[in-house]
């Protein structure tokens, strides 16, 4: 599914990956198979991707419940309201009904390993998002402590911008910035422990939070192959790029092109799409035991 077309249901937002519909006192989130890379939505879908993202998020919601509540009401299509019944099969496995929350206007990034844009920044000036790091680190090295590196929330087609903790505090307030930093690190650390038992390294990830009934809750996806870098523990070797269970395979392909990372995105060869789909499904099976 590249896009959802739910006749008779009010579409309120078409994000990079998710289509969001207003159900009155709640929202329907539909995870499509769209892929965004470098904050650009690419023209070709990754088969099964939306289902994988939804099922992995549901897994982590349950794992993290002792740390923080989330926006989930139900992902059981058979319990959806009458207006959604005609679309049941299209929605099954890739959607959820969630509480309405006011999103915080920062994305909460946690980096446990040095990779991607963090590695590029470190090579340039020895810092990641303005945070000085020790000399002599190699690409993909584990950091002594995970870093909280917030970014702005960009509109579709725009790039997220890394900001300092102080800048995040100016946007959402100092107390809230401290709260989301602490809970982001706690979620990441618990995720790292759980994933390690499954043979997966979570190199970095990003979380989104919202306020619902005065309470801070997790919203959107959690520790998925779209929001995180997953590496197989068995083949991990610092000193270069790693194999992955995420869209890094697509990113690596895009880096071989002369594309300037602005819309429109280039088409992706079928082989790259298929291999990426298999990586997503492999991550789902490792975490949940079912494909």
């Amino acid at each position: 599914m590249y896009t959802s077309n739910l006749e008779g249901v009010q579409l309120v937002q078409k994000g990079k990956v998710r289509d969001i519909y207003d159900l009155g006192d709640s929202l329907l989130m539909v995870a499509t198979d769209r892929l965004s890379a470098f904050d650009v939505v690419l023209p070709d879908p990754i088969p099964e991707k939306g289902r994988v993202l939804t099922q992995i998020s549901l897994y982590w919601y349950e794992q993290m419940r002792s740390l923080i509540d989330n926006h989930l009401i139900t992902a059981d299509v058979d319990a959806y309201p009458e207006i959604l019944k005609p679309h049941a099969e299209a929605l099954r496995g890739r959607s959820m009904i969630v509480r309405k929350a006011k999103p915080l206007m920062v994305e909460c990034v946690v980096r446990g390993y040095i990779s991607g844009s963090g590695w590029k920044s470190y090579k340039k000036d020895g810092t990641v998002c303005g945070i000085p790091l020790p000399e002599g680190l190699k690409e993909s090295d584990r950091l002594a402590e995970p870093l909280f590196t917030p970014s702005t929330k960009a509109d579709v087609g725009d790039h997220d911008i890394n900001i300092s903790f102080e800048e995040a505090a100016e946007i959402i307030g100092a107390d809230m910035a401290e709260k989301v930093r602490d809970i982001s690190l706690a979620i990441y650390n618990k995720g790292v422990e759980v994933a390690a038992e499954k043979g997966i390294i979570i190199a970095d990830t990003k979380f989104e939070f919202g306020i619902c009934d005065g309470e801070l809750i997790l919203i959107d996806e959690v520790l998925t192959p779209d929001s995180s870098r997953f590496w197989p523990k068995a083949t991990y070797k610092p000193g270069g790029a790693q194999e992955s269970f995420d869209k890094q395979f697509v990113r690596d392909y895009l880096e071989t092109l002369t594309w300037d990372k602005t819309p429109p995105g280039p088409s992706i060869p079928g082989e790259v799409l298929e291999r990426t789909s298999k990586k997503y499904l492999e991550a789902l099976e490792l975490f949940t035991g079912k494909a």
Side-chain angles (χ1 to χ4, degrees):
M1 177 195 286
Y2 188 78
T3 190
S4 62
N5 293 298
L6 307 186
E7 197 173 332
V9 192
Q10 184 187 357
L11 178 70
V12 290
Q13 186 182 338
K14 198 180 187 77
K16 293 168 187 169
V17 174
R18 284 165 185 77
D19 295 342
I20 302 176
Y21 294 84
D22 196 334
L23 301 178
D25 58 355
S26 59
L27 298 172
L28 172 72
M29 292 179 62
V30 184
T32 70
D33 296 334
R34 293 193 294 269
L35 180 73
S36 85
F38 305 107
D39 294 312
V40 175
V41 179
L42 302 175
D44 305 294
I46 302 291
E48 297 271 26
K49 176 173 170 285
R51 184 177 68 84
V52 169
L53 299 183
T54 302
Q55 298 306 310
I56 290 182
S57 286
L58 292 172
Y59 169 81
W60 286 115
Y61 286 160
E62 196 54 43
Q63 294 286 324
M64 300 302 169
R65 197 171 289 280
S66 62
L67 295 177
I68 187 171
D69 200 2
N70 59 73
H71 63 174
L72 178 68
I73 296 173
T74 183
D76 179 1
V77 171
D78 296 326
Y80 284 6
E82 206 60 38
I83 193 172
L84 299 177
K85 297 296 185 193
H87 312 291
E89 291 316 305
L91 296 174
R92 195 176 300 279
R94 64 168 66 243
S95 66
M96 59 180 78
I97 293 177
V98 301
R99 293 185 282 165
K100 289 184 172 179
K102 183 181 180 184
L104 297 185
M105 297 314 292
V106 296
E107 295 197 335
C108 296
V109 180
V110 179
R111 302 169 190 267
Y113 293 72
I114 188 159
S115 183
S117 63
W119 172 243
K120 288 180 182 176
S121 172
Y122 177 76
K123 282 196 299 182
K124 184 179 173 186
D125 63 10
T127 71
V128 172
C129 300
I131 302 170
L133 292 177
E135 291 182 13
L137 291 178
K138 300 188 293 293
E139 183 177 4
S140 304
D141 263 343
R142 184 170 189 170
L143 300 172
E145 294 289 338
L147 301 179
F148 177 72
T149 59
S151 71
T152 59
K153 278 175 67 73
D155 293 328
V156 176
D158 291 337
H159 293 287
D160 297 336
I161 299 169
N162 293 330
I163 55 176
S164 67
F165 178 78
E166 290 71 26
E167 288 170 312
E170 287 176 17
I171 296 170
I172 62 174
D175 288 348
M176 185 57 74
E178 288 182 11
K179 196 169 184 178
V180 296
R181 176 194 62 199
D182 293 348
I183 194 68
S184 294
L185 290 168
I187 296 168
Y188 174 77
N189 286 330
K190 182 167 182 178
V192 165
E193 284 180 25
V194 173
E197 294 170 5
K198 318 253 183 200
I200 295 174
I201 290 169
I202 303 175
D204 53 44
T205 192
K206 70 176 176 182
F207 306 114
E208 294 194 42
F209 297 94
I211 304 294
C212 181
D213 298 327
E215 179 191 10
L216 183 71
I217 62 170
L218 261 177
I219 62 174
D220 207 8
E221 62 189 326
V222 181
L223 294 168
T224 72
D226 262 20
S227 66
S228 319
R229 279 188 178 84
F230 293 151
W231 298 336
K233 204 159 86 170
T235 58
Y236 170 64
K237 186 179 179 183
Q242 305 295 307
E243 291 181 36
S244 70
F245 293 110
D246 54 51
K247 60 184 176 182
Q248 190 61 41
F249 193 64
V250 174
R251 286 197 201 100
D252 291 344
Y253 167 76
L254 292 171
E255 291 282 22
T256 68
L257 307 180
T258 54
W259 177 50
D260 63 0
K261 300 183 177 64
T262 60
S267 284
I268 307 295
E271 180 198 350
V272 176
L273 297 175
E274 187 180 336
R275 287 181 66 183
T276 303
S277 178
K278 283 181 179 174
K279 289 289 185 186
Y280 275 68
L281 288 164
E282 194 177 345
L284 175 63
E285 188 168 5
L286 283 167
F287 279 125
T288 69
K290 54 192 178 187

